Amino acid sequence: MAQSESVKKWIRSTFGVSNQKLVDRYLNSELLTAINCDSKTFERDLGLHVSLLQSQKLCRYQSKLLKAYFANPAEHLRLDCDRLIFTIDCSANDIDNIIKPIGKKQVSRICKISDSSLSELFSIKRERAANINRDWKANKDIEQTRPFYSHEFLFRIKSNERAWLRLYVSDGAKNNNGKTSIRIDFIPDRLEDKEIIAIFGHIRARLGGYRYQQLFPRAKIKRIDFGFILPGVLSTYLYAYRDIIKKIHSSCWPIGNDKIKETTYLGNHKTSSHIVIYEKLLKEAQDHKEVLDSLDLLAVTTRCEFRFLADKSNKRLNLTTMFEAPNRLDELKVFDPKYLFLLSDETLESMLKDKTQYNLKSLKSSIRKQLKKGDKKLKYFKIDEQWLIDSKKELMNHYSDLILNQASET
């Protein structure tokens, strides 16, 4: 399959209106007017967005979708893992089994794929490790506590350009700090199970089966992202905050008091685990021109995601216990947009330009007063906590099983 064709197939299956039974094609087309195809951002015309929020039929449509998704997630939603990063402390001999040159071309051992079926499935290319060491270079104190990754290898699925895995190696040579380590970074949801099994089977073959089983169960989790998408929901209708007593930092993007917000962070995304809510279709339009080529056939889509950053948390996990990763998505409290059309232009403009936790909570009193004039009440949606717990456990255990048990030597 051609690379662009794999992207097109993914776009159609993920965002195609015809694949979403709850999405109304005609109302969705009205919501698509919020996206500027030239700039690949939201339209800058604030009046356009206010007019969309003042449409009674659109507000009721968005409310209907959110009610269905949050009331019955087992039927309508799928929890996915959008990032998994872990590190493995290992010996110098283990590192040699990964990077030591082999064969006439003297390529690193990990790049040597002896099984023809695997070479047809994925490629391995040596990359220049750079961005991974930004923090190491910026903070001298890190030199004694964190490995310097001098080698990077990119595994890429040949039939799907979006599917990849990066393996970093620290050989301990930098500044003689002696830290030898492997770091693995990938997006599980983009890889098929058989591809994950094949890639980790290849890594296992290079390390040796016995050594692999010694090392990988103890792998230290660094980051796990999991969340769900809401097909048909335009993010300018979704106003959420974390339902906790503790004050938290929150921010929005793009920066600027006059800009319509596309992304909201609940929690400090630079220093702690956090929730992020963003317009998924818009984000993919920025990455793939194929989205804009078929925009009229696609559904606007909002994504809600929790990013667990282990180094910013007191929770220490490995590949066998990663199902215990916290999940803050159950703290999300989402305004029911059914009666947004009753709010004043001033209130709607404030909500569009500032979706931080602080602003939304400060507006609640004003919103209630405005709705009361129309004999309406402000209501909320919350996701089913048990569904989140069960789905996360099943998802994490599934990937743990693929990596630790199903990956076999090739």
Side-chain angles (χ1 to χ4, degrees), residues 136 142-149 170-180:
W136 200 93
I142 294 179
E143 293 184 13
Q144 301 305 317
T145 60
R146 212 207 81 171
F148 180 91
Y149 294 100
S170 170
D171 58 17
K174 184 69 174 181
N175 282 8
N176 297 314
N177 71 4
K179 295 188 178 298
T180 51

Side-chain angles (χ1 to χ4, degrees), residues 51-320:
S51 67
L52 289 175
L53 293 177
Q54 289 177 333
S55 167
Q56 184 174 350
K57 65 178 179 180
L58 290 177
C59 287
R60 289 181 173 175
Y61 167 57
Q62 295 291 273
S63 174
K64 179 182 178 180
L65 289 179
L66 286 171
K67 183 178 181 179
Y69 293 145
F70 281 72
N72 195 356
E75 180 179 351
H76 300 297
L77 301 182
R78 181 180 71 89
L79 195 72
D80 63 62
C81 183
D82 202 43
R83 200 70 175 268
L84 178 57
I85 303 176
F86 56 87
T87 60
I88 302 167
D89 294 333
C90 52
S91 68
N93 186 58
D94 297 322
I95 298 302
D96 277 348
N97 287 332
I98 297 291
I99 67 174
K100 193 172 182 179
I102 189 174
K104 293 181 179 180
K105 295 184 179 180
Q106 290 291 283
V107 298
S108 295
R109 288 175 181 260
I110 195 66
C111 293
K112 184 71 173 178
I113 306 176
S114 54
D115 191 314
S116 60
S117 63
L118 293 187
S119 61
E120 292 175 0
L121 184 63
F122 61 82
S123 63
I124 308 174
K125 182 182 178 182
R126 176 79 179 267
E127 299 276 294
R128 179 177 175 270
N131 292 337
I132 189 66
N133 294 309
R134 281 183 300 179
D135 291 343
W136 200 93
K137 293 178 178 179
N139 188 339
K140 292 295 182 181
D141 293 335
I142 294 179
E143 293 184 13
Q144 301 305 317
T145 60
R146 212 207 81 171
F148 180 91
Y149 294 100
S150 50
H151 308 266
E152 176 182 344
F153 301 95
L154 174 63
F155 293 68
R156 189 177 290 281
I157 301 300
K158 292 184 176 181
S159 62
N160 182 3
E161 65 184 74
R162 299 180 67 255
W164 51 264
L165 178 145
R166 294 184 183 275
L167 186 151
Y168 301 91
V169 176
S170 170
D171 58 17
K174 184 69 174 181
N175 282 8
N176 297 314
N177 71 4
K179 295 188 178 298
T180 51
S181 176
I182 296 171
R183 180 184 177 99
I184 291 178
D185 178 354
F186 68 116
I187 300 176
D189 194 54
R190 294 186 183 180
L191 291 155
E192 296 181 13
D193 288 356
K194 66 177 183 180
E195 295 165 349
I196 294 175
I197 292 171
I199 289 175
F200 282 96
H202 177 68
I203 296 172
R204 176 188 174 113
R206 285 290 166 250
L207 289 172
Y210 179 74
R211 188 58 174 155
Y212 183 93
Q213 288 304 125
Q214 281 186 315
L215 295 173
F216 272 67
R218 301 199 305 266
K220 300 174 185 176
I221 299 297
K222 293 296 180 179
R223 174 174 170 174
I224 305 176
D225 298 354
F226 40 80
F228 50 82
I229 62 173
L230 303 170
V233 176
L234 186 68
S235 64
T236 53
Y237 286 82
L238 197 148
Y239 297 90
Y241 62 91
R242 286 174 64 180
D243 189 23
I244 54 177
I245 298 176
K246 179 183 176 182
K247 290 184 178 180
I248 65 167
H249 179 277
S250 62
S251 59
C252 300
W253 188 90
I255 299 172
N257 296 330
D258 60 337
K259 294 182 178 180
I260 310 300
K261 303 311 177 191
E262 301 169 13
T263 303
T264 302
Y265 298 99
L266 301 177
N268 193 321
H269 65 285
K270 295 182 179 179
T271 62
S272 66
S273 301
H274 57 275
I275 291 173
V276 58
I277 301 170
Y278 62 95
E279 185 62 43
K280 177 69 171 174
L281 184 64
L282 190 59
K283 187 264 183 186
E284 298 303 336
Q286 294 163 357
D287 293 340
H288 304 292
K289 65 179 182 62
E290 291 87 352
V291 170
L292 297 179
D293 293 341
S294 55
L295 190 63
D296 291 344
L297 303 176
L298 307 180
V300 294
T301 300
T302 295
R303 179 168 177 82
C304 301
E305 180 175 286
F306 177 64
R307 296 174 178 172
F308 170 66
L309 308 180
D311 288 345
K312 311 297 182 182
S313 165
N314 293 324
K315 192 80 171 176
R316 297 293 174 259
L317 302 172
N318 56 44
L319 280 178
T320 62

